[in-house]
Amino acid sequence: MTIGQAREKRRKLGSMSQIQNLYQTCREVFAEGKASYVPPPKDIERLRSVLVRNHEVGLLRLCERIRTKSLLNCIANSVYFSEDVEQPLWLNIHKTFLQVLSSTKFKEAKVEETYNLVYNMRLENVGLTADMPCFRATESDTVPPPVTYIHIHECDKFSIGIFCLPPSGVIPLHNHPGMTVFSKVLFGSMHIKSYDWVASVPHSSRNQNEHCEDSRRHEQPRLAKIHADSDLNAPCRTSVLYPNSGGNMHCFTALTPCAMLDVLGPPYSDSEGRHCTYYNDFPYATFSGDTTGSLSAEMEGCAWLEEIEKPESFVVVGAMYGGPSIVEN
C-alpha cells in the first residue's frame, strides 16, 4: 500500500461514523457466522480497537508509560499523542501530568484522574444522552427497575445493541451458547459476576426427585468457576467472552446509571439451538455433600448454577435507535 493509499484509507475511516465502522468490522470479523466460531486474536483486537475511540488509545498508551514512571519522557514526547487526543482534552491531560511532575512522589490518583477525563465511544455516537428517562432511578427499593434495550442491527451472523440501566438495574445471570461476545461500558459503573463451566466434574448430589422433568440437557445444578467478580467503571477495556471461556455466563448490576454496548457473534437463535438460559447460583458447599465446611483447593471460587425460567422481575423495554444510520452494503 502506498503512502497516498494509506492516507486515503485513514480519511475514509475518519469520516465514517463510529457505529458504521463497528458494523463494517463486525461483518468482516463474523463472516463465518457459525456457532462456536472464535475469531482469531488479530480480529479480536481489531474489533476491540473499534470500540475504543482514537483519543482513548493514545491516552491508554500514555497512562501505561506513567505507570512505569517515565513521566519526563511522556511530556517530552507529548506531540506523539497529540494526533490521538482531542486538543481541549489534551490540554487537561498535559496539565495533570505537569502536576504529577511537580510532586515529589508518584501519585496513582493522578493516573485515575486522567483516565476519568476520557470516555470510550461516546453516548452521542449512538444517539443517547445521560439525562434520558431510561437512566433515571425508580422509587421502588424491592423490585429491580426495567432495563432498556436499544436494537441497532441484527443478522444471522452478529447483532449490535445497547443495554441502558438505571441505578440498581439488573441483568440476571445468563449464558451465551456458542457465541463470542464483546461488551463495552459506554458510561457509568456496573458490577459484573461471571462464570465458566468446570469440565469433567459430576453434577451436584442434590436429589433428582426435587427436579421437575423437562427436556433440557442439565436438570441438576452444574459446577462452574467464577471468572470475574468486580466493578466496571467507564472508561474501561472491552471485555470479551468466548463459547467455553472468558465468563460465558454473566450477570450485571448497575451501580450508577450506565450503558453497555454488546456485540454478539452469532446472535441468539432458538431455531439453531442458541437459547438464552438463566441461572441461580449457589455456594459450592450447598450441594457438594461436604458437611465439614472445608473446601479443597481446586473448588475455591466454584459455585453451582441451576437453570431457571426467565425471572419475572427482569423486565426489558425496547427503545428506538436514534444514532447514525447504518448503511448495509
Side-chain angles (χ1 to χ4, degrees), residues 183-217:
S183 298
K184 185 70 169 178
V185 180
L186 299 178
F187 93 107
S189 300
M190 59 171 54
H191 184 85
I192 179 176
K193 190 170 188 180
S194 63
Y195 297 90
D196 288 310
W197 294 124
V198 174
S200 302
V201 295
H203 294 303
S204 75
S205 59
R206 192 175 187 180
N207 192 328
Q208 292 188 19
N209 294 329
E210 297 179 21
H211 295 267
C212 296
E213 291 188 5
D214 58 34
S215 60
R216 290 179 299 187
R217 180 179 178 185

PDB file of all heavy atoms in Angstrom, residues 183-217:
ATOM      1  N   SER A 183     -18.345  -6.761  25.023  1.00  0.00           N
ATOM      2  CA  SER A 183     -19.158  -5.865  25.851  1.00  0.00           C
ATOM      3  C   SER A 183     -18.332  -4.640  26.221  1.00  0.00           C
ATOM      4  O   SER A 183     -17.204  -4.773  26.702  1.00  0.00           O
ATOM      5  CB  SER A 183     -19.631  -6.575  27.125  1.00  0.00           C
ATOM      6  OG  SER A 183     -20.449  -7.680  26.807  1.00  0.00           O
ATOM      7  N   LYS A 184     -18.920  -3.477  26.003  1.00  0.00           N
ATOM      8  CA  LYS A 184     -18.215  -2.222  26.263  1.00  0.00           C
ATOM      9  C   LYS A 184     -19.096  -1.298  27.094  1.00  0.00           C
ATOM     10  O   LYS A 184     -20.200  -0.947  26.687  1.00  0.00           O
ATOM     11  CB  LYS A 184     -17.869  -1.544  24.938  1.00  0.00           C
ATOM     12  CG  LYS A 184     -17.021  -0.288  25.090  1.00  0.00           C
ATOM     13  CD  LYS A 184     -15.623  -0.634  25.538  1.00  0.00           C
ATOM     14  CE  LYS A 184     -14.684   0.556  25.430  1.00  0.00           C
ATOM     15  NZ  LYS A 184     -13.341   0.235  25.915  1.00  0.00           N
ATOM     16  N   VAL A 185     -18.632  -0.929  28.293  1.00  0.00           N
ATOM     17  CA  VAL A 185     -19.365   0.023  29.119  1.00  0.00           C
ATOM     18  C   VAL A 185     -19.151   1.419  28.534  1.00  0.00           C
ATOM     19  O   VAL A 185     -18.029   1.923  28.493  1.00  0.00           O
ATOM     20  CB  VAL A 185     -18.887  -0.022  30.584  1.00  0.00           C
ATOM     21  CG1 VAL A 185     -19.671   0.976  31.426  1.00  0.00           C
ATOM     22  CG2 VAL A 185     -19.045  -1.428  31.157  1.00  0.00           C
ATOM     23  N   LEU A 186     -20.229   2.040  28.067  1.00  0.00           N
ATOM     24  CA  LEU A 186     -20.127   3.347  27.430  1.00  0.00           C
ATOM     25  C   LEU A 186     -20.020   4.469  28.446  1.00  0.00           C
ATOM     26  O   LEU A 186     -19.329   5.465  28.220  1.00  0.00           O
ATOM     27  CB  LEU A 186     -21.329   3.590  26.520  1.00  0.00           C
ATOM     28  CG  LEU A 186     -21.506   2.617  25.357  1.00  0.00           C
ATOM     29  CD1 LEU A 186     -22.761   2.958  24.565  1.00  0.00           C
ATOM     30  CD2 LEU A 186     -20.288   2.632  24.446  1.00  0.00           C
ATOM     31  N   PHE A 187     -20.765   4.339  29.548  1.00  0.00           N
ATOM     32  CA  PHE A 187     -20.622   5.305  30.633  1.00  0.00           C
ATOM     33  C   PHE A 187     -21.181   4.699  31.907  1.00  0.00           C
ATOM     34  O   PHE A 187     -21.923   3.711  31.886  1.00  0.00           O
ATOM     35  CB  PHE A 187     -21.325   6.630  30.287  1.00  0.00           C
ATOM     36  CG  PHE A 187     -22.743   6.733  30.775  1.00  0.00           C
ATOM     37  CD1 PHE A 187     -23.063   7.560  31.845  1.00  0.00           C
ATOM     38  CD2 PHE A 187     -23.766   6.014  30.174  1.00  0.00           C
ATOM     39  CE1 PHE A 187     -24.368   7.659  32.297  1.00  0.00           C
ATOM     40  CE2 PHE A 187     -25.073   6.117  30.613  1.00  0.00           C
ATOM     41  CZ  PHE A 187     -25.380   6.947  31.688  1.00  0.00           C
ATOM     42  N   GLY A 188     -20.805   5.261  33.050  1.00  0.00           N
ATOM     43  CA  GLY A 188     -21.301   4.791  34.326  1.00  0.00           C
ATOM     44  C   GLY A 188     -20.512   3.631  34.895  1.00  0.00           C
ATOM     45  O   GLY A 188     -19.432   3.280  34.410  1.00  0.00           O
ATOM     46  N   SER A 189     -21.077   3.015  35.940  1.00  0.00           N
ATOM     47  CA  SER A 189     -20.421   1.911  36.647  1.00  0.00           C
ATOM     48  C   SER A 189     -21.397   0.770  36.868  1.00  0.00           C
ATOM     49  O   SER A 189     -22.573   0.997  37.162  1.00  0.00           O
ATOM     50  CB  SER A 189     -19.892   2.384  38.007  1.00  0.00           C
ATOM     51  OG  SER A 189     -18.955   3.433  37.852  1.00  0.00           O
ATOM     52  N   MET A 190     -20.906  -0.451  36.739  1.00  0.00           N
ATOM     53  CA  MET A 190     -21.717  -1.637  36.997  1.00  0.00           C
ATOM     54  C   MET A 190     -20.851  -2.736  37.582  1.00  0.00           C
ATOM     55  O   MET A 190     -19.625  -2.733  37.432  1.00  0.00           O
ATOM     56  CB  MET A 190     -22.413  -2.119  35.715  1.00  0.00           C
ATOM     57  CG  MET A 190     -21.467  -2.463  34.580  1.00  0.00           C
ATOM     58  SD  MET A 190     -22.304  -3.262  33.177  1.00  0.00           S
ATOM     59  CE  MET A 190     -23.610  -2.106  32.810  1.00  0.00           C
ATOM     60  N   HIS A 191     -21.514  -3.651  38.285  1.00  0.00           N
ATOM     61  CA  HIS A 191     -20.800  -4.811  38.834  1.00  0.00           C
ATOM     62  C   HIS A 191     -21.072  -6.011  37.942  1.00  0.00           C
ATOM     63  O   HIS A 191     -22.212  -6.246  37.523  1.00  0.00           O
ATOM     64  CB  HIS A 191     -21.262  -5.119  40.254  1.00  0.00           C
ATOM     65  CG  HIS A 191     -20.498  -6.237  40.897  1.00  0.00           C
ATOM     66  ND1 HIS A 191     -19.288  -6.036  41.539  1.00  0.00           N
ATOM     67  CD2 HIS A 191     -20.744  -7.575  40.965  1.00  0.00           C
ATOM     68  CE1 HIS A 191     -18.839  -7.197  41.992  1.00  0.00           C
ATOM     69  NE2 HIS A 191     -19.692  -8.142  41.652  1.00  0.00           N
ATOM     70  N   ILE A 192     -20.021  -6.745  37.648  1.00  0.00           N
ATOM     71  CA  ILE A 192     -20.154  -7.962  36.835  1.00  0.00           C
ATOM     72  C   ILE A 192     -19.744  -9.166  37.667  1.00  0.00           C
ATOM     73  O   ILE A 192     -18.777  -9.118  38.439  1.00  0.00           O
ATOM     74  CB  ILE A 192     -19.291  -7.894  35.556  1.00  0.00           C
ATOM     75  CG1 ILE A 192     -19.439  -9.188  34.745  1.00  0.00           C
ATOM     76  CG2 ILE A 192     -17.827  -7.621  35.895  1.00  0.00           C
ATOM     77  CD1 ILE A 192     -18.705  -9.182  33.417  1.00  0.00           C
ATOM     78  N   LYS A 193     -20.512 -10.240  37.514  1.00  0.00           N
ATOM     79  CA  LYS A 193     -20.120 -11.531  38.065  1.00  0.00           C
ATOM     80  C   LYS A 193     -20.297 -12.541  36.947  1.00  0.00           C
ATOM     81  O   LYS A 193     -21.374 -12.609  36.330  1.00  0.00           O
ATOM     82  CB  LYS A 193     -20.976 -11.916  39.263  1.00  0.00           C
ATOM     83  CG  LYS A 193     -20.430 -13.145  40.013  1.00  0.00           C
ATOM     84  CD  LYS A 193     -21.156 -13.353  41.326  1.00  0.00           C
ATOM     85  CE  LYS A 193     -20.499 -14.453  42.156  1.00  0.00           C
ATOM     86  NZ  LYS A 193     -21.219 -14.661  43.449  1.00  0.00           N
ATOM     87  N   SER A 194     -19.243 -13.287  36.645  1.00  0.00           N
ATOM     88  CA  SER A 194     -19.313 -14.213  35.510  1.00  0.00           C
ATOM     89  C   SER A 194     -18.686 -15.554  35.871  1.00  0.00           C
ATOM     90  O   SER A 194     -17.854 -15.660  36.774  1.00  0.00           O
ATOM     91  CB  SER A 194     -18.615 -13.616  34.286  1.00  0.00           C
ATOM     92  OG  SER A 194     -17.233 -13.415  34.524  1.00  0.00           O
ATOM     93  N   TYR A 195     -19.106 -16.581  35.116  1.00  0.00           N
ATOM     94  CA  TYR A 195     -18.676 -17.950  35.359  1.00  0.00           C
ATOM     95  C   TYR A 195     -18.348 -18.654  34.045  1.00  0.00           C
ATOM     96  O   TYR A 195     -18.862 -18.290  32.982  1.00  0.00           O
ATOM     97  CB  TYR A 195     -19.790 -18.761  36.033  1.00  0.00           C
ATOM     98  CG  TYR A 195     -20.227 -18.321  37.395  1.00  0.00           C
ATOM     99  CD1 TYR A 195     -21.257 -17.391  37.544  1.00  0.00           C
ATOM    100  CD2 TYR A 195     -19.660 -18.860  38.550  1.00  0.00           C
ATOM    101  CE1 TYR A 195     -21.698 -17.002  38.799  1.00  0.00           C
ATOM    102  CE2 TYR A 195     -20.096 -18.484  39.811  1.00  0.00           C
ATOM    103  CZ  TYR A 195     -21.113 -17.551  39.925  1.00  0.00           C
ATOM    104  OH  TYR A 195     -21.551 -17.180  41.179  1.00  0.00           O
ATOM    105  N   ASP A 196     -17.544 -19.704  34.166  1.00  0.00           N
ATOM    106  CA  ASP A 196     -17.347 -20.686  33.103  1.00  0.00           C
ATOM    107  C   ASP A 196     -17.580 -22.065  33.700  1.00  0.00           C
ATOM    108  O   ASP A 196     -17.315 -22.293  34.893  1.00  0.00           O
ATOM    109  CB  ASP A 196     -15.926 -20.616  32.528  1.00  0.00           C
ATOM    110  CG  ASP A 196     -15.704 -19.361  31.680  1.00  0.00           C
ATOM    111  OD1 ASP A 196     -16.547 -19.100  30.804  1.00  0.00           O
ATOM    112  OD2 ASP A 196     -14.705 -18.668  31.914  1.00  0.00           O
ATOM    113  N   TRP A 197     -18.056 -22.989  32.869  1.00  0.00           N
ATOM    114  CA  TRP A 197     -18.301 -24.348  33.361  1.00  0.00           C
ATOM    115  C   TRP A 197     -16.985 -25.024  33.748  1.00  0.00           C
ATOM    116  O   TRP A 197     -15.964 -24.832  33.098  1.00  0.00           O
ATOM    117  CB  TRP A 197     -19.000 -25.196  32.307  1.00  0.00           C
ATOM    118  CG  TRP A 197     -20.386 -24.760  31.953  1.00  0.00           C
ATOM    119  CD1 TRP A 197     -20.848 -24.444  30.713  1.00  0.00           C
ATOM    120  CD2 TRP A 197     -21.500 -24.599  32.838  1.00  0.00           C
ATOM    121  NE1 TRP A 197     -22.169 -24.093  30.761  1.00  0.00           N
ATOM    122  CE2 TRP A 197     -22.601 -24.185  32.060  1.00  0.00           C
ATOM    123  CE3 TRP A 197     -21.670 -24.776  34.216  1.00  0.00           C
ATOM    124  CZ2 TRP A 197     -23.859 -23.936  32.613  1.00  0.00           C
ATOM    125  CZ3 TRP A 197     -22.929 -24.525  34.768  1.00  0.00           C
ATOM    126  CH2 TRP A 197     -23.999 -24.113  33.972  1.00  0.00           C
ATOM    127  N   VAL A 198     -17.038 -25.814  34.791  1.00  0.00           N
ATOM    128  CA  VAL A 198     -15.911 -26.663  35.171  1.00  0.00           C
ATOM    129  C   VAL A 198     -16.065 -27.974  34.410  1.00  0.00           C
ATOM    130  O   VAL A 198     -17.109 -28.628  34.503  1.00  0.00           O
ATOM    131  CB  VAL A 198     -15.883 -26.914  36.685  1.00  0.00           C
ATOM    132  CG1 VAL A 198     -14.778 -27.917  37.032  1.00  0.00           C
ATOM    133  CG2 VAL A 198     -15.657 -25.602  37.439  1.00  0.00           C
ATOM    134  N   ALA A 199     -15.065 -28.338  33.640  1.00  0.00           N
ATOM    135  CA  ALA A 199     -15.155 -29.536  32.794  1.00  0.00           C
ATOM    136  C   ALA A 199     -14.895 -30.805  33.607  1.00  0.00           C
ATOM    137  O   ALA A 199     -14.157 -30.804  34.595  1.00  0.00           O
ATOM    138  CB  ALA A 199     -14.144 -29.449  31.656  1.00  0.00           C
ATOM    139  N   SER A 200     -15.498 -31.888  33.168  1.00  0.00           N
ATOM    140  CA  SER A 200     -15.240 -33.246  33.699  1.00  0.00           C
ATOM    141  C   SER A 200     -15.453 -33.349  35.202  1.00  0.00           C
ATOM    142  O   SER A 200     -14.619 -33.885  35.936  1.00  0.00           O
ATOM    143  CB  SER A 200     -13.802 -33.677  33.359  1.00  0.00           C
ATOM    144  OG  SER A 200     -13.597 -33.649  31.966  1.00  0.00           O
ATOM    145  N   VAL A 201     -16.575 -32.821  35.671  1.00  0.00           N
ATOM    146  CA  VAL A 201     -16.929 -32.997  37.082  1.00  0.00           C
ATOM    147  C   VAL A 201     -18.367 -33.485  37.153  1.00  0.00           C
ATOM    148  O   VAL A 201     -19.176 -33.201  36.272  1.00  0.00           O
ATOM    149  CB  VAL A 201     -16.795 -31.679  37.878  1.00  0.00           C
ATOM    150  CG1 VAL A 201     -15.357 -31.229  37.923  1.00  0.00           C
ATOM    151  CG2 VAL A 201     -17.688 -30.603  37.293  1.00  0.00           C
ATOM    152  N   PRO A 202     -18.707 -34.230  38.191  1.00  0.00           N
ATOM    153  CA  PRO A 202     -20.093 -34.716  38.321  1.00  0.00           C
ATOM    154  C   PRO A 202     -21.032 -33.575  38.662  1.00  0.00           C
ATOM    155  O   PRO A 202     -20.607 -32.513  39.126  1.00  0.00           O
ATOM    156  CB  PRO A 202     -19.993 -35.719  39.476  1.00  0.00           C
ATOM    157  CG  PRO A 202     -18.836 -35.229  40.289  1.00  0.00           C
ATOM    158  CD  PRO A 202     -17.848 -34.686  39.287  1.00  0.00           C
ATOM    159  N   HIS A 203     -22.311 -33.780  38.424  1.00  0.00           N
ATOM    160  CA  HIS A 203     -23.311 -32.807  38.833  1.00  0.00           C
ATOM    161  C   HIS A 203     -23.470 -32.878  40.346  1.00  0.00           C
ATOM    162  O   HIS A 203     -22.872 -33.713  41.019  1.00  0.00           O
ATOM    163  CB  HIS A 203     -24.643 -33.080  38.129  1.00  0.00           C
ATOM    164  CG  HIS A 203     -24.552 -32.870  36.645  1.00  0.00           C
ATOM    165  ND1 HIS A 203     -24.149 -31.681  36.099  1.00  0.00           N
ATOM    166  CD2 HIS A 203     -24.812 -33.704  35.606  1.00  0.00           C
ATOM    167  CE1 HIS A 203     -24.172 -31.780  34.773  1.00  0.00           C
ATOM    168  NE2 HIS A 203     -24.569 -32.998  34.458  1.00  0.00           N
ATOM    169  N   SER A 204     -24.321 -32.012  40.876  1.00  0.00           N
ATOM    170  CA  SER A 204     -24.470 -31.941  42.326  1.00  0.00           C
ATOM    171  C   SER A 204     -25.096 -33.240  42.860  1.00  0.00           C
ATOM    172  O   SER A 204     -25.691 -34.021  42.133  1.00  0.00           O
ATOM    173  CB  SER A 204     -25.368 -30.765  42.704  1.00  0.00           C
ATOM    174  OG  SER A 204     -26.726 -31.077  42.423  1.00  0.00           O
ATOM    175  N   SER A 205     -24.982 -33.425  44.166  1.00  0.00           N
ATOM    176  CA  SER A 205     -25.562 -34.592  44.815  1.00  0.00           C
ATOM    177  C   SER A 205     -27.014 -34.356  45.195  1.00  0.00           C
ATOM    178  O   SER A 205     -27.601 -35.142  45.921  1.00  0.00           O
ATOM    179  CB  SER A 205     -24.756 -34.923  46.080  1.00  0.00           C
ATOM    180  OG  SER A 205     -24.759 -33.825  46.972  1.00  0.00           O
ATOM    181  N   ARG A 206     -27.591 -33.297  44.701  1.00  0.00           N
ATOM    182  CA  ARG A 206     -28.979 -32.974  45.015  1.00  0.00           C
ATOM    183  C   ARG A 206     -29.906 -34.089  44.506  1.00  0.00           C
ATOM    184  O   ARG A 206     -29.710 -34.640  43.428  1.00  0.00           O
ATOM    185  CB  ARG A 206     -29.352 -31.646  44.360  1.00  0.00           C
ATOM    186  CG  ARG A 206     -30.670 -31.060  44.830  1.00  0.00           C
ATOM    187  CD  ARG A 206     -30.858 -29.697  44.204  1.00  0.00           C
ATOM    188  NE  ARG A 206     -32.025 -29.027  44.738  1.00  0.00           N
ATOM    189  CZ  ARG A 206     -32.424 -27.825  44.364  1.00  0.00           C
ATOM    190  NH1 ARG A 206     -31.735 -27.163  43.450  1.00  0.00           N
ATOM    191  NH2 ARG A 206     -33.491 -27.265  44.895  1.00  0.00           N
ATOM    192  N   ASN A 207     -30.921 -34.389  45.263  1.00  0.00           N
ATOM    193  CA  ASN A 207     -31.858 -35.456  44.921  1.00  0.00           C
ATOM    194  C   ASN A 207     -32.564 -35.143  43.611  1.00  0.00           C
ATOM    195  O   ASN A 207     -33.158 -34.088  43.448  1.00  0.00           O
ATOM    196  CB  ASN A 207     -32.897 -35.597  46.054  1.00  0.00           C
ATOM    197  CG  ASN A 207     -33.714 -36.868  45.902  1.00  0.00           C
ATOM    198  OD1 ASN A 207     -33.963 -37.328  44.791  1.00  0.00           O
ATOM    199  ND2 ASN A 207     -34.123 -37.429  47.035  1.00  0.00           N
ATOM    200  N   GLN A 208     -32.500 -36.069  42.673  1.00  0.00           N
ATOM    201  CA  GLN A 208     -33.121 -35.844  41.379  1.00  0.00           C
ATOM    202  C   GLN A 208     -34.631 -35.695  41.491  1.00  0.00           C
ATOM    203  O   GLN A 208     -35.272 -35.092  40.642  1.00  0.00           O
ATOM    204  CB  GLN A 208     -32.789 -36.995  40.421  1.00  0.00           C
ATOM    205  CG  GLN A 208     -31.328 -37.048  40.037  1.00  0.00           C
ATOM    206  CD  GLN A 208     -31.089 -38.075  38.956  1.00  0.00           C
ATOM    207  OE1 GLN A 208     -32.002 -38.490  38.252  1.00  0.00           O
ATOM    208  NE2 GLN A 208     -29.842 -38.485  38.835  1.00  0.00           N
ATOM    209  N   ASN A 209     -35.247 -36.252  42.544  1.00  0.00           N
ATOM    210  CA  ASN A 209     -36.696 -36.149  42.694  1.00  0.00           C
ATOM    211  C   ASN A 209     -37.146 -34.723  42.990  1.00  0.00           C
ATOM    212  O   ASN A 209     -38.330 -34.409  42.901  1.00  0.00           O
ATOM    213  CB  ASN A 209     -37.169 -37.077  43.830  1.00  0.00           C
ATOM    214  CG  ASN A 209     -36.960 -38.536  43.472  1.00  0.00           C
ATOM    215  OD1 ASN A 209     -37.014 -38.910  42.302  1.00  0.00           O
ATOM    216  ND2 ASN A 209     -36.724 -39.361  44.488  1.00  0.00           N
ATOM    217  N   GLU A 210     -36.206 -33.864  43.352  1.00  0.00           N
ATOM    218  CA  GLU A 210     -36.552 -32.487  43.647  1.00  0.00           C
ATOM    219  C   GLU A 210     -36.764 -31.688  42.376  1.00  0.00           C
ATOM    220  O   GLU A 210     -37.213 -30.563  42.415  1.00  0.00           O
ATOM    221  CB  GLU A 210     -35.458 -31.822  44.493  1.00  0.00           C
ATOM    222  CG  GLU A 210     -35.284 -32.472  45.860  1.00  0.00           C
ATOM    223  CD  GLU A 210     -34.180 -31.792  46.632  1.00  0.00           C
ATOM    224  OE1 GLU A 210     -33.843 -30.627  46.294  1.00  0.00           O
ATOM    225  OE2 GLU A 210     -33.634 -32.405  47.569  1.00  0.00           O
ATOM    226  N   HIS A 211     -36.414 -32.246  41.237  1.00  0.00           N
ATOM    227  CA  HIS A 211     -36.483 -31.528  39.975  1.00  0.00           C
ATOM    228  C   HIS A 211     -37.660 -31.996  39.133  1.00  0.00           C
ATOM    229  O   HIS A 211     -37.984 -33.187  39.103  1.00  0.00           O
ATOM    230  CB  HIS A 211     -35.195 -31.742  39.172  1.00  0.00           C
ATOM    231  CG  HIS A 211     -34.008 -31.152  39.853  1.00  0.00           C
ATOM    232  ND1 HIS A 211     -33.559 -29.880  39.592  1.00  0.00           N
ATOM    233  CD2 HIS A 211     -33.184 -31.659  40.810  1.00  0.00           C
ATOM    234  CE1 HIS A 211     -32.511 -29.633  40.340  1.00  0.00           C
ATOM    235  NE2 HIS A 211     -32.263 -30.695  41.084  1.00  0.00           N
ATOM    236  N   CYS A 212     -38.267 -31.069  38.460  1.00  0.00           N
ATOM    237  CA  CYS A 212     -39.313 -31.421  37.514  1.00  0.00           C
ATOM    238  C   CYS A 212     -38.652 -31.941  36.248  1.00  0.00           C
ATOM    239  O   CYS A 212     -37.615 -31.444  35.840  1.00  0.00           O
ATOM    240  CB  CYS A 212     -40.175 -30.197  37.182  1.00  0.00           C
ATOM    241  SG  CYS A 212     -41.072 -29.545  38.603  1.00  0.00           S
ATOM    242  N   GLU A 213     -39.261 -32.953  35.645  1.00  0.00           N
ATOM    243  CA  GLU A 213     -38.701 -33.488  34.419  1.00  0.00           C
ATOM    244  C   GLU A 213     -38.951 -32.517  33.276  1.00  0.00           C
ATOM    245  O   GLU A 213     -40.026 -31.976  33.117  1.00  0.00           O
ATOM    246  CB  GLU A 213     -39.333 -34.843  34.104  1.00  0.00           C
ATOM    247  CG  GLU A 213     -38.938 -35.933  35.082  1.00  0.00           C
ATOM    248  CD  GLU A 213     -39.439 -37.288  34.622  1.00  0.00           C
ATOM    249  OE1 GLU A 213     -39.998 -37.359  33.507  1.00  0.00           O
ATOM    250  OE2 GLU A 213     -39.284 -38.254  35.376  1.00  0.00           O
ATOM    251  N   ASP A 214     -37.933 -32.280  32.480  1.00  0.00           N
ATOM    252  CA  ASP A 214     -38.067 -31.490  31.271  1.00  0.00           C
ATOM    253  C   ASP A 214     -37.045 -31.971  30.270  1.00  0.00           C
ATOM    254  O   ASP A 214     -36.306 -32.921  30.523  1.00  0.00           O
ATOM    255  CB  ASP A 214     -37.930 -29.977  31.533  1.00  0.00           C
ATOM    256  CG  ASP A 214     -36.598 -29.619  32.184  1.00  0.00           C
ATOM    257  OD1 ASP A 214     -35.591 -30.294  31.869  1.00  0.00           O
ATOM    258  OD2 ASP A 214     -36.546 -28.679  32.985  1.00  0.00           O
ATOM    259  N   SER A 215     -37.011 -31.334  29.120  1.00  0.00           N
ATOM    260  CA  SER A 215     -36.156 -31.799  28.029  1.00  0.00           C
ATOM    261  C   SER A 215     -34.791 -31.152  28.017  1.00  0.00           C
ATOM    262  O   SER A 215     -33.991 -31.411  27.136  1.00  0.00           O
ATOM    263  CB  SER A 215     -36.853 -31.529  26.687  1.00  0.00           C
ATOM    264  OG  SER A 215     -37.091 -30.145  26.543  1.00  0.00           O
ATOM    265  N   ARG A 216     -34.521 -30.300  28.994  1.00  0.00           N
ATOM    266  CA  ARG A 216     -33.234 -29.628  28.988  1.00  0.00           C
ATOM    267  C   ARG A 216     -32.117 -30.604  29.356  1.00  0.00           C
ATOM    268  O   ARG A 216     -32.302 -31.524  30.143  1.00  0.00           O
ATOM    269  CB  ARG A 216     -33.256 -28.440  29.954  1.00  0.00           C
ATOM    270  CG  ARG A 216     -34.129 -27.298  29.465  1.00  0.00           C
ATOM    271  CD  ARG A 216     -34.150 -26.161  30.436  1.00  0.00           C
ATOM    272  NE  ARG A 216     -34.697 -26.566  31.733  1.00  0.00           N
ATOM    273  CZ  ARG A 216     -34.956 -25.730  32.717  1.00  0.00           C
ATOM    274  NH1 ARG A 216     -34.696 -24.452  32.566  1.00  0.00           N
ATOM    275  NH2 ARG A 216     -35.449 -26.150  33.856  1.00  0.00           N
ATOM    276  N   ARG A 217     -30.922 -30.298  28.851  1.00  0.00           N
ATOM    277  CA  ARG A 217     -29.797 -31.219  29.000  1.00  0.00           C
ATOM    278  C   ARG A 217     -29.348 -31.329  30.451  1.00  0.00           C
ATOM    279  O   ARG A 217     -29.046 -32.403  30.933  1.00  0.00           O
ATOM    280  CB  ARG A 217     -28.647 -30.730  28.117  1.00  0.00           C
ATOM    281  CG  ARG A 217     -27.424 -31.628  28.199  1.00  0.00           C
ATOM    282  CD  ARG A 217     -26.319 -31.115  27.293  1.00  0.00           C
ATOM    283  NE  ARG A 217     -25.133 -31.925  27.385  1.00  0.00           N
ATOM    284  CZ  ARG A 217     -23.987 -31.661  26.779  1.00  0.00           C
ATOM    285  NH1 ARG A 217     -23.904 -30.590  26.010  1.00  0.00           N
ATOM    286  NH2 ARG A 217     -22.950 -32.440  26.905  1.00  0.00           N
TER     287      ARG A 217
END
